[in-house]
Amino acid sequence: MTTEEQPTMEPVIWFEGTLIRDPQPHGGQDDWLLETLVDPDGDAPKITIRAHGAEHSANIRDNARKGSRLMVKGTAGDEGSGVDIEATSLAFDPSHDDPDGKQ
């Protein structure tokens, strides 16, 4: 996991992980919770990601399943909300592949 500091802005969090269950609807139509592990073979804690918006929803519906690998860019969730990261960008393997399956 990496954190970037930018002046007068929230730190940006980047990490790669694995979904440990299928995405769950959260609140509205385009609001999702994703539960991930950074190290699926280790004792790392679960990370809960909130993704909202039509673009995230389409990407999640098309590409996210239990066991999917993903890359996340986001900011810290609100204290006490149960959300660790508010996603600003999500990429699922193989959603970034070309139609012929090549990267």
Side-chain angles (χ1 to χ4, degrees):
M1 194 174 325
T2 305
T3 303
E4 300 174 359
E5 289 288 338
Q6 296 181 358
T8 67
M9 296 178 71
E10 287 187 66
V12 175
I13 302 164
W14 291 83
F15 78 92
E16 185 175 340
T18 302
L19 290 178
I20 58 175
R21 71 176 195 175
D22 287 338
Q24 302 297 307
H26 177 72
Q29 173 183 347
D30 291 326
D31 203 1
W32 297 88
L33 288 181
L34 302 113
E35 292 184 353
T36 65
L37 291 178
V38 175
D39 178 12
D41 298 325
D43 295 328
K46 172 182 75 172
I47 297 171
T48 302
I49 302 162
R50 179 176 175 247
H52 58 277
E55 287 184 18
H56 283 312
S57 288
N59 189 14
I60 289 167
R61 274 193 229 85
D62 293 345
N63 300 294
R65 306 286 179 273
K66 180 179 177 181
S68 296
R69 299 287 297 159
L70 74 157
M71 299 241 354
V72 178
K73 177 182 177 184
T75 58
D78 292 332
E79 184 97 16
S81 70
V83 172
D84 299 307
I85 297 175
E86 292 281 344
T88 55
S89 181
L90 294 170
F92 295 94
D93 184 30
S95 67
H96 54 278
D97 288 351
D98 289 332
D100 65 359
K102 296 179 183 174
Q103 291 188 11

